[in-house]
Amino acid sequence: LSFTKGLCVDEEPSLWQMSLNNEIDLWIDVGLPDERRLRKACNRAEQAYLYSYGGRGLTSGGSETQRSCSASTISLCLSCLQQQVRN
């Protein structure tokens, strides 16, 4: 698992795991959901995970991309995480 230039480069996720054949085994993106990036993750990687925050998760049963894509989406509650850090 390694960091990429994901914040600066639109073609890469935040983290990924590459195979020995230089293919993307695991695509991990962090941020606000974007249909285009989710579609790209599903097309290029064996597995894809999107960690969203800010109250904008992907709606269940939403767009065609969401229904046809096997990406796992996890919504993070920032205030919950901040409270855990304080404790």
Side-chain angles (χ1 to χ4, degrees):
L1 194 60
S2 58
F3 287 100
T4 67
K5 302 173 190 170
L7 295 176
C8 304
V9 178
D10 196 35
E11 298 296 315
E12 298 179 359
S14 302
L15 295 158
W16 63 13
Q17 181 176 331
M18 301 295 285
S19 72
L20 296 176
N21 298 333
N22 208 26
E23 295 176 353
I24 304 170
D25 283 335
L26 179 61
W27 176 296
I28 300 174
D29 228 342
V30 179
L32 299 176
D34 178 81
E35 283 281 323
R36 189 179 49 81
R37 281 188 69 82
L38 182 59
R39 197 172 320 119
K40 183 179 292 185
C42 289
N43 290 332
R44 294 189 59 200
E46 191 71 30
Q47 292 182 321
Y49 289 88
L50 170 65
Y51 291 86
S52 66
Y53 59 86
R56 273 189 55 207
L58 295 172
T59 59
S60 61
S63 70
E64 185 66 34
T65 299
Q66 290 171 251
R67 288 191 296 273
S68 64
C69 181
S70 62
S72 297
T73 58
I74 297 113
S75 295
L76 300 175
C77 170
L78 291 181
S79 60
C80 299
L81 293 174
Q82 290 170 342
Q83 185 175 17
Q84 288 292 337
V85 169
R86 282 181 252 167
N87 294 333

